[in-house]
Amino acid sequence: MLVLDTGDADEEHAEEQLQYLIAELSELDLDSIDRVTQGPPPPGSRSTEAVQLGALILALGGSGALLPALAAVVQDWLNRRRSGSVRLKIGEDEIEPTGASDEVQRRALEAFLRHHGD
């Protein structure tokens, strides 16, 4: 699962930023990119189910070989914006890269990728 936090309370801005990220992720050879649903929509809504703001389920395929490419796209996307964060979660394990590029964060991301590789 991937959860985007733009760092502000503007839902319209968060949705716009999520759409930019989805466009970049769609260039990877992912099996699927789906919005996370959170149950029935609010009364008066036209949707059949509500989505969790900024949350996606990504299917990488069997081997997880795309995980480093996914992490690179997310990190590049964050670095260009210099704000917000994206939480990557696999099972109970998760990491939250931010737009800050420091050595500790880089090593933590590398360890996360090694743990979930192949």
Side-chain angles (χ1 to χ4, degrees), residues 40-51:
S45 169
R46 293 182 186 186
S47 174
T48 57
E49 52 189 345
V51 295

Side-chain angles (χ1 to χ4, degrees), residues 14-96:
E15 178 63 27
E16 179 180 290
Q17 294 302 306
L18 182 65
Q19 291 302 319
Y20 288 134
L21 181 56
I22 289 170
E24 291 186 35
L25 292 172
S26 67
E27 294 187 19
L28 296 175
D29 192 22
L30 299 172
D31 287 351
S32 66
I33 302 173
D34 298 307
R35 301 293 295 263
V36 174
T37 59
Q38 60 183 15
S45 169
R46 293 182 186 186
S47 174
T48 57
E49 52 189 345
V51 295
Q52 180 177 331
L53 186 63
L56 303 170
I57 297 283
L58 307 174
L60 303 179
S63 72
L66 283 175
L67 191 54
L70 168 67
V73 167
V74 168
Q75 190 65 59
D76 181 58
W77 185 86
L78 284 167
N79 289 342
R80 283 181 280 139
R81 278 150 189 77
R82 301 192 186 276
S83 68
S85 65
V86 172
R87 196 168 24 138
L88 298 171
K89 184 173 182 179
I90 299 173
E92 295 301 313
D93 197 11
E94 66 181 69
I95 190 166
E96 189 167 347

